[in-house]
Amino acid sequence: MIDINRTIPTVISRVASLEILQGIRIATFKKDRHITIRRINDTTLRITRHGFTNAEYELDEEKLKKEMKTLLKQEFPRSNKVHLSSVSQEE
């Protein structure tokens, strides 16, 4: 678990080192809502939201910081800490 204020820098540094089809999952304390970020190719990421809004879309890696600010406000509005875990290719 990490503090919500450290989530964006931590995610950006971990995403930079991801291999293709590997990902990161950010989940609430109860793990009932989560966001999965998976690398599709060298510059494209796929974001899957499962929570208040269920959606899946792709974006460029350079737009990730701005998108993360929006996602954290929408999906985790009252959270102080979040779970951060790695996601393998099969999941």
Side-chain angles (χ1 to χ4, degrees), residues 57-90:
Y57 53 93
E58 296 180 3
L59 77 149
D60 290 332
E61 188 172 353
E62 66 240 10
K63 297 177 184 176
L64 180 63
K65 183 175 181 177
K66 183 176 180 181
E67 186 67 20
M68 283 297 299
K69 287 181 183 180
T70 305
L71 288 173
L72 291 176
K73 285 180 185 177
Q74 291 175 354
E75 294 295 333
F76 311 122
R78 291 173 299 281
S79 296
N80 293 321
K81 298 212 180 254
V82 294
H83 287 280
L84 195 62
S85 59
S86 297
V87 179
S88 64
Q89 296 176 2
E90 327 49 80

Side-chain angles (χ1 to χ4, degrees), residues 27-34 83:
T28 60
F29 178 75
K30 294 190 297 185
K31 297 183 182 176
D32 58 343
R33 294 188 309 272
H34 60 81
H83 287 280

Side-chain angles (χ1 to χ4, degrees), residues 5-20:
N5 298 327
R6 294 292 312 147
T7 303
I8 293 174
T10 304
V11 167
I12 289 173
S13 66
R14 286 195 183 182
V15 164
S17 64
L18 287 177
E19 298 291 326
I20 294 176

